[in-house]
Amino acid sequence: MEQQAEEPAAGARVLVVDDDPTVAEVVAGYLDRAGYVVDRAEDGPAALARATAHWPDLVVLDLMLPGMDGLEVCRRMRGRAPVPVIMLTARGDEDDRILGLEVGADDYVTKPFSPRELVLRVESVLRRTRPRSDTGQLAAAGLSVDPAARRALKNGYELALTIREFDLLAFFLRHPGRVFSRQDLMKEVWGWDFGDLSTVTVHVRRLRGKVEDDPARPRLIQTVWGVGYRFEAVAGEERP
């Protein structure tokens, strides 16, 4: 089921990085018509230079780039400041897609893709960066989340979370003790009724690495075998 497009954030700047001029032109054209300000770069160094000149609100980043691949570009950008990233990849292998998610990509699209779908995914990711109407503080088990400021703390120390990790943590804190399937989380956190569920698995694993005292023996984000995940506001028995 196709989702309805929303108006893009006013002045939102999207950096499109792809060495294929045809793909870059098509993607940039669709984003431009959707109301975004679009910058383009054909390789990793050019992308970093563009980002330095005008920091983007979101990056559409090809995985396979000459000289410096998209994974390294993503790492370097994320090392400077948080920025949402949607990976483009011609590879069908799941390991390559998971690599992109592991370095912090918020979403990915596999070539060939529908430019319309890509615009919807851009809108979905950017929508998550906007302030929520329910801006009350969330807290449990030494964790605290401020949705308005987009800040998360563990025992008073700020957590470095990607957009999706932040939203996933906030969702768990809003619904302690409830079990959610990966399909539920894909719909509620990503805003999609369909998608590769390994995206959820990878983000849960990354989030555990940042909020659990021992990610190999998680006490907060627990696996309910055959069903999904449950957030325990009061840490209980270890369930990997």
Side-chain angles (χ1 to χ4, degrees):
M1 180 176 64
E2 185 175 273
Q3 299 195 3
Q4 294 298 314
E6 291 194 0
E7 289 299 320
R13 182 180 294 272
V14 178
L15 174 59
V16 177
V17 187
D18 199 305
D19 63 323
D20 185 327
T22 301
V23 172
E25 183 176 352
V26 169
V27 170
Y30 270 79
L31 290 170
D32 179 71
R33 286 191 291 275
Y36 295 99
V37 177
V38 183
D39 289 331
R40 287 171 54 177
E42 69 281 357
D43 57 33
L48 296 174
R50 280 283 189 181
T52 298
H54 299 285
W55 193 252
D57 296 295
L58 181 143
V59 182
V60 176
L61 179 61
D62 188 25
L63 179 63
M64 298 296 292
L65 293 171
M68 181 189 302
D69 65 21
L71 297 176
E72 182 61 24
V73 174
C74 186
R75 287 191 191 99
R76 295 194 184 191
M77 286 189 175
R78 283 284 169 76
R80 174 180 170 185
V83 60
V85 174
I86 296 178
M87 284 280 190
L88 295 181
T89 174
R91 296 176 175 178
D93 188 74
E94 183 178 1
D95 290 341
D96 294 311
R97 299 197 299 271
I98 289 177
L99 271 177
L101 297 172
E102 289 285 10
V103 299
D106 297 279
D107 204 348
Y108 68 87
V109 176
T110 303
K111 299 178 181 177
F113 58 87
S114 159
R116 174 62 176 160
E117 178 190 351
L118 178 59
V119 171
L120 286 171
R121 287 181 181 253
V122 168
E123 290 167 353
S124 174
V125 172
L126 284 175
R127 185 168 61 246
R128 299 286 170 173
T129 68
R130 302 172 195 167
R132 294 178 58 100
S133 56
D134 54 334
T135 55
Q137 297 265 346
L138 305 167
L143 299 168
S144 62
V145 168
D146 184 341
R150 302 286 299 184
R151 294 184 68 201
L153 306 177
K154 177 184 177 183
N155 298 325
Y157 293 93
E158 186 156 5
L159 296 170
L161 302 180
T162 67
I163 289 171
R164 297 297 192 188
E165 290 165 1
F166 181 93
D167 290 336
L168 187 58
L169 178 58
F171 183 80
F172 279 136
L173 286 172
R174 288 189 182 97
H175 304 93
R178 289 183 55 186
V179 179
F180 294 94
S181 68
R182 292 188 299 167
Q183 291 93 334
D184 293 334
L185 294 172
M186 176 69 76
K187 181 176 181 179
E188 297 295 335
V189 178
W190 275 256
W192 286 87
D193 294 321
F194 57 90
D196 186 342
L197 296 180
S198 66
T199 299
V200 177
T201 306
V202 171
H203 278 81
V204 168
R205 182 166 67 244
R206 285 178 54 86
L207 183 58
R208 280 173 167 166
K210 297 177 181 181
V211 304
E212 299 281 0
D213 292 332
D214 181 0
R217 300 172 69 86
R219 290 173 172 266
L220 300 174
I221 304 172
Q222 298 189 357
T223 298
V224 180
W225 295 111
V227 184
Y229 303 101
R230 176 179 61 231
F231 179 79
E232 290 291 351
V234 178
E237 292 186 4
E238 298 138 349
R239 297 184 186 178

